[in-house]
Amino acid sequence: LVLLAASLPFVMFTTGLAGVMSAHQRFKALNLIRIVLGVASYGGPVLVAAFVSVRLDAVVALVLLLRVAGTAAHAWACARQCGWRPQAAWPGREATRELFALGGWIAVSNVLSPMLSTLDRLLLATLVPVRTVAVYATPYDVLSKAMVLPSSIMAALFPLASGLARGSAAAQRLLGESLRLLFVTMFPVIFLFVVFARPGLHGWLGPEIAELGAPVMQILAVGMLLNALAQGPATLIQAAGEPRWMALLHLAELPVFVGLLWLLTVQHGVLGTALASSLRSGVDAAVIFGLAQRRVAMGTLHWRAAAGPAGVAVLLLLAGLWPTDWAESVGVALAGLAAFAVYAWAGLLRADERQRLRALLRPGPRP
């Protein structure tokens, strides 16, 4: 515990340095450092336990050293690529007030958001037999790994979004472009989860888990898609310096979600839990999009523009519920992905984007 506490200043300092590198769009260097440290943070403790000592404090001591090394690597890269130099200075009063105001609201969201994400499993364990919790937790954990895609995309767009004026054409364009990018990126992934839910769980965990877990995975997959789409407008709200709206939304959601979760779980078991989670994601996405339009883009709600993508998504997801074995799933997956590719190419990508894709796919040397 003492060693972990000693590592906290380095963690916080590293976060600041990483923020500077992100603001300068130095993602290549930032990700290279993260890859090396990520591998070391998993492999290092294994080597220490295997060849040095199996004591927990020895393993944690290595973690502390890795965090110190991570801070040094970020500082070196930040100085080399961003012109950063350490200098002693007292923070100004205005900057301090702004940082504490923004940081306070962000802290509220950072506490409530994980709580909202884990409440379903915590409450489920008190309402159904413990062995049934795995039927819900396993699909949820598998699906949650896909959220690394929208998180990575939005982390790259955050510095760009923070420099846009509210109500500007650029802010309105970025909101629409982020939603389009997230939909094109995430829908094929979610579609595959829906199609292969039953045969995948059957082959992995057996027929009993597949029978109950496949519908759970399919319902949760829809919620994950909505949650992924909400990352775009949420990033714009945060980047515009309006984190309080996200915090207030999470505060309002908490009691409503607990009540809905309890009601649906008692009535329908794990399926009710999955339905409550996806309903919350849908309402959350709609409210966040409305806030982004009103507080950042300051434009009209173009709900009609979403009719086409929503219709295609609903039809393909409904088709994805049909397969029951691997052969049917492979056939539906290939047909669905092909149909979505045609629609995305003709209806979602701009002419310049299609031209760039053709250039990337064309064989031969590239400039």
Side-chain angles (χ1 to χ4, degrees), residues 47-67:
L47 295 176
V48 169
F51 299 106
V52 180
S53 172
V54 294
R55 288 175 57 90
L56 184 59
D57 53 0
V59 174
V60 176
L62 176 66
V63 173
L64 171 59
L65 291 176
L66 288 173
R67 290 182 175 177

Side-chain angles (χ1 to χ4, degrees), residues 99 114 209 324:
L99 284 173
I209 297 293
T324 57

Side-chain angles (χ1 to χ4, degrees), residues 160-171:
L160 175 64
S162 63
L164 300 179
R166 296 186 194 183
S168 63

Side-chain angles (χ1 to χ4, degrees), residues 260-288:
L260 182 65
L261 192 60
W262 185 284
L263 179 64
L264 292 180
T265 301
V266 169
Q267 292 184 349
H268 305 288
V270 290
L271 284 177
T273 308
L275 183 60
S277 178
S278 291
L279 285 173
R280 184 191 73 82
S281 296
V283 172
D284 191 74
V287 174
I288 289 175

Side-chain angles (χ1 to χ4, degrees), residues 19-310:
V20 173
M21 295 181 68
S22 296
H24 284 81
Q25 304 281 299
R26 304 298 183 183
F27 294 110
K28 180 179 179 180
L30 185 59
N31 287 324
L32 286 174
I33 294 173
R34 286 175 173 172
I35 289 170
V36 173
L37 290 175
V39 172
S41 66
Y42 283 98
V46 173
L47 295 176
V48 169
F51 299 106
V52 180
S53 172
V54 294
R55 288 175 57 90
L56 184 59
D57 53 0
V59 174
V60 176
L62 176 66
V63 173
L64 171 59
L65 291 176
L66 288 173
R67 290 182 175 177
V68 174
T71 301
H74 281 84
W76 176 81
C78 204
R80 185 179 180 86
Q81 299 200 8
C82 307
W84 172 81
R85 294 290 182 275
Q87 49 184 307
W90 289 103
R93 181 176 299 178
E94 288 298 320
T96 302
R97 185 185 297 113
E98 183 179 2
L99 284 173
F100 272 97
L102 290 174
W105 287 114
I106 291 174
V108 172
S109 286
N110 286 345
V111 170
L112 292 178
S113 185
M115 188 182 299
L116 287 165
S117 299
T118 56
L119 262 177
D120 46 6
R121 282 155 289 171
L122 293 175
L123 189 59
L124 187 63
T126 67
L127 298 176
V128 299
V130 175
R131 64 183 181 85
T132 313
V133 176
V135 176
Y136 180 88
T138 302
Y140 185 94
D141 289 340
V142 172
L143 281 165
S144 64
K145 301 300 184 288
M147 290 302 293
V148 69
L149 289 172
S151 298
S152 301
I153 293 171
M154 290 302 106
L157 288 181
F158 184 89
L160 175 64
S162 63
L164 300 179
R166 296 186 194 183
S168 63
Q172 296 177 11
R173 184 168 58 252
L174 184 60
L175 176 59
E177 293 293 299
S178 65
L179 288 169
R180 190 168 59 91
L181 175 62
L182 289 169
F183 180 69
V184 171
T185 304
M186 286 299 297
F187 181 80
V189 178
I190 297 300
F191 176 69
L192 291 176
F193 274 118
V194 171
V195 172
F196 289 102
R198 193 173 301 277
L201 289 175
H202 186 281
W204 181 25
L205 299 173
E208 183 180 356
I209 297 293
E211 184 66 26
L212 295 173
V216 169
M217 175 173 277
Q218 290 165 338
I219 293 172
L220 287 175
V222 177
M224 286 291 177
L225 176 62
L226 297 171
N227 190 13
L229 294 178
Q231 301 303 308
T235 297
L236 262 71
I237 294 172
Q238 298 273 18
E242 295 278 8
R244 62 172 179 155
W245 294 107
M246 301 293 297
L248 291 172
L249 174 61
H250 291 146
L251 282 170
E253 280 182 351
L254 185 59
V256 177
F257 180 51
V258 170
L260 182 65
L261 192 60
W262 185 284
L263 179 64
L264 292 180
T265 301
V266 169
Q267 292 184 349
H268 305 288
V270 290
L271 284 177
T273 308
L275 183 60
S277 178
S278 291
L279 285 173
R280 184 191 73 82
S281 296
V283 172
D284 191 74
V287 174
I288 289 175
F289 179 64
L291 286 172
Q293 282 276 10
R294 184 179 180 86
R295 305 295 305 182
V296 183
M298 298 180 182
T300 57
L301 292 173
H302 301 293
W303 296 106
R304 293 181 181 178

